[in-house]
Amino acid sequence: MKIQMLDLSEQYQSMREEVITKLDEVMSSSQFILGSNVKKLEEDVAKYSNVNYGVGVGNGSDAIHIALQAGGIEAGDEVITTAFTFFATGGAIARAGAVPVYVDIDPITFNIDPSKIEAVITEKTKAIIPVHLYGQMADMETIRDIAEKHNLIVIEDAAQAIGAKQNGKSVGELGTAATYSFFPTKNLGAYGDGGMIVTNDEELAEKARVIRVHGSKPKYYHHVLGYNSRLDELQAAILNVKFPRLNEWSSARRERASYYTKRLNEKLSDILQTPIEKEGNYHVFHQYTLRVPNRDELQSYLKEQGIATMIYYLMPLHIQPVFEELGYKEGDLPETERAAKEALSLPMYPELKQEDQDYVVEKIIDFYSK
Ligand SMILES: *Cc1c(COP(=O)(O)O)cnc(C)c1O
């Protein structure tokens, strides 16, 4: 048996002809940059997120960076976020010239703990970036209230959470803007890099459009320092084929998550913690992540049995060497650090077979029976 974290081949085969036709259309038209496919995807994804504007950019990391810049974040400003995330969240803040301020997580959802935000707000604080980790939204209502009280913008890092909801509200509805990644492994993945900013803020959207083309407006006049970060037309054509299937894939992920949870809790509910979906949340399970004892031994054991697993994230951002000068040390964010020692993500994708899930569950049970 060999079970991968993610296998994209079946999905591709299910829409191969359509993808090839769309790519051929783009190549025949010779419209490679910011053409009709990017425009269509921007409109569709904005509508899907219940907001007015979508701005396609080069990748999810630039989406965060550009959203910060378009939202008025400047050198020396402080931006509050979580340290339990992919590097890009903190990296984008630093690239915008701002200072990341890391807050501990809620151990139930692995997302930023809103009750710890106000304590770190200073005169320099300008923004909050909650990350909707693994596909479950952070507590957006509380975060929005804090942001309004302190006049901060909120950029939702929704790279892992396209399609997620909270009390009926979509990603992007409660923040100033939300950012998506179309990296191939994400829930809506391109066949290369891509990203998007969605927002109801017309001015932010317009600034983002200018920043992604070198800050050029009118053409060849530069009032802001932009760069080259556009969603590629070929990638947008592929995403336009995939997008109508996204809700179906999210449901398939949720079914597989429920099945893992049911099977694991039959035998191991005293030993490990399965993912918890908070009331009101619609979790899209970009990852299915457990908390387990003896995590590293379990991972090695599963690897010997042909089962791939991943640790998201082994080293939280506050103790990454590149952020050393921020002055954090181990022990500063105890829940973040505990999660980094306990989290283990299992294979998860819409086409994952039930017999593969059974095999994964049986091997985890075997490990803890020894
Ligand atoms: C993937 C990811 C990003 C970055 O997206 P890219 O498209 O790879 O640049 C940012 N934040 C989080 C939480 C991610 O998972």
Side-chain angles (χ1 to χ4, degrees):
M1 273 302 245
K2 264 245 165 313
I3 303 172
Q4 297 172 264
M5 278 301 286
L6 170 68
D7 184 347
L8 293 168
S9 54
E10 189 179 323
Q11 190 183 83
Y12 176 57
Q13 290 310 323
S14 74
M15 52 191 191
R16 184 170 172 273
E17 310 251 300
E18 224 180 309
V19 167
I20 290 170
T21 305
K22 287 289 173 195
L23 290 176
D24 185 55
E25 270 174 32
V26 173
M27 291 183 280
S28 304
S29 78
S30 304
Q31 180 65 58
F32 295 114
I33 304 292
L34 298 181
S36 57
N37 279 287
V38 170
K39 188 156 185 291
K40 176 169 169 42
L41 189 74
E42 287 176 341
E43 286 167 4
D44 286 351
V45 172
K47 195 166 169 208
Y48 183 76
S49 312
N50 257 323
V51 298
N52 290 328
Y53 310 100
V55 183
V57 296
N59 54 71
S61 309
D62 284 358
I64 304 169
H65 182 183
I66 293 172
L68 286 169
Q69 206 184 334
I73 302 309
E74 293 176 346
D77 290 346
E78 292 176 2
V79 178
I80 295 170
T81 191
T82 163
F84 197 58
T85 176
F86 179 57
F87 174 74
T89 318
I93 295 169
R95 285 196 295 138
V99 180
V101 175
Y102 295 114
V103 164
D104 212 356
I105 57 168
D106 167 359
I108 304 288
T109 60
F110 298 99
N111 286 325
I112 191 167
D113 182 344
S115 73
K116 305 218 165 99
I117 290 177
E118 284 198 287
V120 300
I121 291 177
T122 72
E123 272 156 35
K124 291 184 178 166
T125 307
K126 294 287 155 55
I128 306 171
I129 304 187
V131 179
H132 305 321
L133 203 70
Y134 306 145
Q136 173 161 232
M137 282 172 72
D139 179 354
M140 282 305 296
E141 283 167 30
T142 309
I143 292 167
R144 184 201 48 190
D145 290 347
I146 295 168
E148 279 178 359
K149 185 169 153 202
H150 297 273
N151 197 22
L152 311 174
I153 65 165
V154 178
I155 308 295
E156 301 170 57
D157 180 348
Q160 304 186 0
I162 190 164
K165 287 206 150 84
Q166 186 161 77
N167 298 321
K169 298 270 193 217
S170 164
V171 163
E173 269 191 272
L174 294 173
T176 313
T179 61
Y180 294 125
S181 164
F182 304 127
F183 187 77
T185 61
K186 300 288 158 90
N187 287 22
L188 181 62
Y191 293 158
D193 283 303
M196 195 178 290
I197 300 159
V198 293
T199 180
N200 266 325
D201 184 328
E202 187 177 2
E203 192 186 327
L204 190 151
E206 176 52 27
K207 279 190 184 157
R209 281 182 206 285
V210 173
I211 292 167
R212 74 174 168 181
V213 290
H214 309 281
S216 172
K217 195 196 175 191
K219 206 165 187 190
Y220 304 123
Y221 287 84
H222 300 265
H223 296 281
V224 295
L225 186 62
Y227 45 103
N228 177 356
S229 182
R230 296 171 290 233
L231 176 60
D232 189 89
E233 185 70 10
L234 284 168
Q235 297 303 335
I238 294 160
L239 291 164
N240 281 329
V241 174
K242 295 182 93 176
F243 176 71
R245 296 160 160 93
L246 177 61
N247 281 345
E248 213 175 286
W249 291 333
S250 299
S251 305
R253 286 175 180 275
R254 287 175 59 81
E255 280 164 21
R256 279 145 189 81
S258 302
Y259 188 69
Y260 268 141
T261 295
K262 179 177 140 279
R263 293 274 343 254
L264 287 165
N265 283 335
E266 279 164 11
K267 292 270 165 59
L268 299 172
S269 62
D270 294 342
I271 292 174
L272 53 73
Q273 177 64 59
T274 51
I276 299 166
E277 183 180 49
K278 266 208 171 164
E279 203 181 326
N281 278 352
Y282 184 84
H283 191 323
V284 292
F285 288 97
H286 173 61
Q287 298 296 342
Y288 182 88
T289 304
L290 302 170
R291 277 183 189 271
V292 296
N294 305 322
R295 193 258 323 265
D296 296 349
E297 290 85 347
L298 172 63
Q299 184 175 42
S300 313
Y301 177 77
L302 293 175
K303 190 173 171 205
E304 284 163 24
Q305 313 299 318
I307 300 167
T309 58
M310 291 291 278
I311 297 168
Y312 301 114
Y313 292 92
L314 193 59
M315 196 186 210
L317 300 195
H318 69 297
I319 50 174
Q320 289 286 351
V322 70
F323 293 126
E324 199 183 321
E325 58 189 60
L326 297 177
Y328 292 94
K329 54 186 187 319
E330 257 193 275
D332 285 346
L333 303 176
E335 286 299 342
T336 298
E337 292 162 27
R338 183 165 73 90
K341 293 187 177 78
E342 295 179 353
L344 188 71
S345 300
L346 302 184
M348 170 54 78
Y349 52 96
E351 299 79 14
L352 181 64
K353 305 259 175 311
Q354 193 168 98
E355 68 232 47
D356 289 350
Q357 288 193 275
D358 286 331
Y359 181 75
V360 172
V361 170
E362 279 152 27
K363 294 301 163 189
I364 296 173
I365 294 170
D366 283 354
F367 175 79
Y368 287 110
S369 324
K370 280 197 271 192

